[in-house]
Amino acid sequence: MKLYCLSGHPTLPCNVLKFKSTTVMLDCGLDMTSTLNFLPLPLVQSPRLSNLPGWSLKDGNAFLDKELKECSGHVFVDSVPEFCLPETELIDLSTVDVILISNYHCMMALPYITEHTGFTGTVYATEPTVQIGRLLMEELVNFIERVPKAQSASLWKNKDIQRLLPSPLKDAVEVSTWRRCYTMQEVNSALSKIQLVGYSQKIELFGAVQVTPLSSGYALGSSNWIIQSHYEKVSYVSGSSLLTTHPQPMDQASLKNSDVLILTGLTQIPTANPDGMVGEFCSNLALTVRNGGNVLVPCYPSGVIYDLLECLYQYIDSAGLSSIPFYFISPVANSSLEFSQIFAEWLCHNKQTKVYLPEPPFPHAELIQTNKLKHYPSIHGDFSNDFRQPCVVFTGHPSLRFGDVVHFMELWGKSSLNTVIFTEPDFSYLEALAPYQPLAMKCIYCPIDTRLNFIQVSKLLKEVQPLHVVCPEQYTQPPPAQSHRMDLMIDCQPPAMSYRRAEVLALPFKRRYEKIEIMPELADSLVPMEIKPGVSLATVSAVLHTKDNKHVLQPPPRPAQPTGGKKRKRASDDIPDCKVLKPLLSGSIPVDQFVQTLEKHGFSDIKVEDTAKGHIVLLQEAETLIQIEEDSTHIICDNDEMLRVRLRDLVLKFLQKF
Amino acid sequence: MDPECSRLLPALCAVLADPRQPVADDTCLEKLLDWFTTVTAAGSSLLLLQENPCLVELLFRVLKSQDLSSRILSFSLRLAGIFAAQEDCFQYLQQGELLPMLFGEVGPLGGAAWTAPAVRSGWIQGLRTLAQHPSALRFLAACGAVDTIFSLQGDSSLFVASAAGQLLVHILDLAMRGPARGRCSPQACDWPACAQKIVCHIEDSLCSIATPQVTQALNVLTTVFGHCRGLWTQGLWVRLSPLVARLLEKDPVPASHSLVDLLLSVARSSVPSSDRGLWETLAQTLSHLSPTQAGPLALGILKLQDCPQALRTQAFGILLQPLACVLEAAAQAPGPPGLLGGAAGDPMTADTLLCSKSACVGLLCCALTHLGLLQPLPQRPSPWPQAPLLGAAVTVLRLCSGSVAPTSDVGGRLCAILVGCGRVQRAALDFLGALSQGAGPQESVTQVFSVLLEYLMSPESSSMVLKKAFQATLRWLLSSPKTPGCCDLDPRTQLFLRELLPVLQKRLCSPCWEVRDSGLEFLTQMTRHCGGQAGFRQALLASEVPELTKQLLQDPESYVRASAVTATGQLSSWALLAAPASPERPGAQQKSLLVELLHVLCADSEGFPRRAVMQVFTEWLRDGHADVAEDPERFVARVLQAASRDPDWEVRAQGLELALVFLGQLLGPRGSHCPCAVALPETAPPGTLAQALPEAAPPGTLAQALQVLCRVQLFEFAFRALFDCDRPVAQKSCDLLLFLRAKAAPCGSPQEAGDSPNVASVEATLQRWQAGEQGQPLGYLEPGAVMAVLRSIDLEGLRDTLAESSDHVEKSPQSLLQDMLAAVGVLGENEADCY
């Protein structure tokens, strides 16, 4: 069993598991932090961005000034943003049989894999994952395609040139594999390969393994996966949460008794408690708005935003913010808000019960009804008519490199009354802000990451007790910035096996058993013999038939019936291919009694030596050795067949035959 | 005994002894016992039994009855104990062989009823009450009760087991209290047999290998040394101390909690004056117990008034150990000598800290709490290591927040255990607050402020932790030194305040109401104490805190609204709510606050904010708040009008408090001869005014004052309150009117207005009010009529009636007996009162 690790990002995993005869890809995450190296794509012409000076080498050489621009001491690529794909060279991706998706954030690289690698298999995911994943992809494509960029920079990627660049461009990895965003056509084609599954549904893969999605409690439709055969069980835990937010709670019990537990997608901010962060978010929002400032919340169109809107629903009246408009701007805002209300079966119990009242499960419906929350596909159109300040705007993209957020950063960045509150943990907020410097607006970092923290992991592992834990290397040591925090790493016994990008891991267990079925008629013919109470043995002569990873013992073929003319046939022709079976022996030889028997039969001068594996009985006169071991007995005598047979018969007296 | 009770008693005894008529209510039986205790305390029990033979009859019938409930049996045992507490009555009951039948082996002791814990408990309590005289001791010896008590010490019911232990102590004390027993020798050959037996039993238990038995013996001894004052206790200690010391040789020390309790009990008794060896035992115990077990003992030792210095040093060292280990573990480099003068931390303490999270948290919390308790005591160890303790508290808090990066392995493990631990954070913040009473070196105080700020800012701080952080911050701010030469805050504190206020501002916007509430409480206290200091005023006015506080008057949570009312009231008192932008209209902002608070008083649906408004208004009136001083009459009239309609009695009572303040200002405070219309701020607690008879006011000003009181309709408010259905309101009103009547004594004679039709109608209205019809208003009253009415009401009588508890009628024994009989249907229906 092997694990091929194609992504180095612990929360955007992409691994391939070879298990029995199947090749299973676990998640398909897309690392978008590469876009932080690019200049933002402004929706409205930005003189500031277009007038940024080109970057030149220390010696004044300016051959890169078209591709690289400088802003407040940082250098950015002036080109269409590109993404860092999972490793494609480590394994032939056309051999992947299935792809299992655990949540909508972990499927963003899917079009790159399904459309460009020769992949012919099936993708499995739950319905909300697919629908919301589609929204995220659609938003991404829309954000990038609606700001066409003539230029595509590639010169800087040259290894010799990259070395000369300042950090972080100099240290960017695998830049040659960075790719531009996929198209909507590719998205549709990729999504068409997905087969929908429900929690606890058992899916057979070629009869060899069974895969089952389990609720992971992190997002709508998010799943962990069990991959098991009759005798082996691998659990894949990715992006799970034990907090009570909107999704169905995590199913922990089904993860028990795993041989291997692959653990990815833990919280990216283990020191920040989501409750505290939500409090921080609300307080800062209220303070800004009370002072007449605007609040910008860069966010994804689904996920934490539902919980934030729910908190605000409860908070705005108490904070006296009832008259403040909340805007949600995204090409998929409407679909996201509506989808969230229809996936009742994927929601937590409280929200499910609301559906039967009937009430919308999320209170943002009421915010929309009362006009407190308004949503728009983009800043163009209706929004510009309705826009009122001070206000709160939720919009993407959290990287601040594309999407409507770029416009608001340009619009509000100059005033210290305004605040940008970062709630998504995927991007470093300082790096995200770099191309907007100098910035007067206040920046608040309230990352809300509801995924498991290390205390919860420790409890989970105690509860489910896997034999082995496999995780990204980042989880096996404290974060570099807090090297003293020994509590911020996985602590389990035996120590977790770690992996990094482009590494192949041999998983630490051997398959020892395989299930084989016996045909009823063959079973009927068996004659078991009890060799000790409760244990019976029988010899089986059969043909092993293997098809579709199922093994069946069938009765041996019967001899062909004599044809009409021949009436007599020799006995030896009956079963031509079968040799005469020797009886099987069982039991053990008690050395003392064996020696006594030898003496009774006239052997003298017997010596017994203990060896590591058993005993050697030495008949000195006869110059003969009898080696008695746990599973074999050898009689070694030179050229005296009579003696050997005599001794053999004495040995056999102690053993049972069948 | 009341003849009516005597009449009812036979029927009640018959009911009690009748198993077919179960008494449903246990509390009735308890009340009955209380009553009998009172009756027997006042007179002879013997006479009582002779006059009411039904009582003895009841006891006999209870014994004979087979299927009586355990509670009646238990009741009877306790009742018999009450009667037999008097020696003559004891003899009387003995003659009838009743006591052996109740308490001896032939009684319930051997029967099936004994399985009920209530019966066993009744048996013990009966004996406990009975054992008051030498005859009782002989009786106990004769019926073998002491052995039974020994066995009951291990009873499955904790109540029974504990009562058995206490009974043993009582018997021992009784036995030893006899004449000339004061100086018992340790050998105790001349101790009474009963005492000998108990002491031998204790000795056996102390030597037992079973921990529960050792615990029982230690608990009995703890009670002995805690409650018995005789000199014989010293002899007892001399005899038993070797056995106690032997417990320390075992590993682990058995029943360590009880051992600590015993040793402290002995140390607080008269024993140390005669036995210096006790200090040695204490020292040994301190060194034998685990750090967690030794903490309470160390604290107890340090609280003792008189104990050897070496022992105190040892005990203090134990309390300091956990913090010393923390300091050592978190130290970046060898620093100055820490808590233990440079000595290394005890490895055992370090092991306890690291062995598990619960052990670590428990030990640290105990150490912090114990040291916090010790800090304010006069007998606290001296020199008090203020600076290292501050350092330790700050370090613990930093470990809990993960903001310290210890280099040592131990430090790293401690950090992993403590990070995010709310319990330790709360204990450490409390401790840090307690340390504010002592000074500290400059850099320590800077660290304290920085860690407090860190906690107040951190989104990870829970609401309880924040509350503690606010409390600690307040204590440090209030104890911070003032700038020499003026009463303003020192520059460092001012700097801290400037950093603190934005944090407070954010906390006032928290979605968690507890946090908003703690923030407001902090602000109120801060303003109360520092409202006059220029530095504070400047910083506060430059922030948005006052504005935010005002907005919180509309908070959806009533507690927060109440705190906001108090905070804005306080800010306004110090003129900290005025908008600096409108100098041309001084006071405009505050006026609107008065209106706003009046609105809260009239319209808020919850009681807490309305009560808070009344308190603020009373304070404003007392302190001569600028807004109120403009037109106090109008202010009082409006407030009283609103308060009189309030459904919450506390608001109405507070209204009377405000009225009293107003009266004091009008008529002059107690002892003053020169009342003026609006007096200076009143300082005497108004509640005491009525108790001491005030001096009469001169008639001229008095008439004017009465006019004012009539205009603000204070009398209508007070008269209504006099008949309020809530007793505290009526009492307060009664006090107020008595005060007023005494003040106004010289104002006219009863003849002046007594016969006017106005008075008659007022009296008629008041009578209707008393009858519960409070709809009709009094209308405008003339001062003369008011005084006449005041004289005509029997205020003293009313005060006495109100002083009785509201259920004084229902509490009478007669009522109790009637109720019990009614409950089983012996009396006619509906005759009993309900309570």
Side-chain angles (χ1 to χ4, degrees), chain A residues 55 69-76 166-168 434 437:
Chain A
W55 181 80
K69 302 284 179 193
E70 195 168 348
C71 174
S72 299
H74 289 83
V75 176
F76 298 95
S167 288
Q437 300 295 355

Side-chain angles (χ1 to χ4, degrees), chain A residues 62 64 82 107 123 208 244 283 322 334-335 409 412 607 622 649:
Chain A
L64 281 170
E82 292 177 345
M107 61 184 281
V123 184
T244 315
S283 310
S322 314
N334 186 31
S335 317
M409 284 303 296
W412 290 343
K607 223 174 134 185
D649 291 344

Side-chain angles (χ1 to χ4, degrees), chain A residues 270-280 282-284 286-287 290-291 311 314-315 317-320 445 455 482-488, chain B residues 357 401-406 412-413 415-417 419 457-460 502 505-512 516 544 548 551-552 554-556:
Chain A
T271 50
N273 164 25
D275 284 340
M277 286 301 151
V278 169
E280 204 65 5
C282 290
S283 310
N284 284 298
L287 271 181
R290 278 182 169 158
N291 283 335
C311 287
Q314 291 158 358
Y315 176 68
D317 287 334
S318 74
Y445 185 52
I455 298 172
Q482 290 160 304
S483 56
H484 66 287
R485 293 288 298 268
M486 305 301 282
D487 55 318
L488 301 184
Chain B
K357 179 161 182 163
S401 67
S403 61
V404 69
R413 282 159 67 195
C415 183
I417 289 176
V419 78
M457 283 164 100
S458 167
E460 298 301 302
Q505 206 167 299
K506 196 175 76 182
R507 292 301 179 193
L508 291 181
C509 293
S510 167
C512 172
R516 299 198 295 275
E544 290 156 40
L548 269 175
Q551 285 183 20
L552 288 174
Q554 265 91 47
D555 200 276

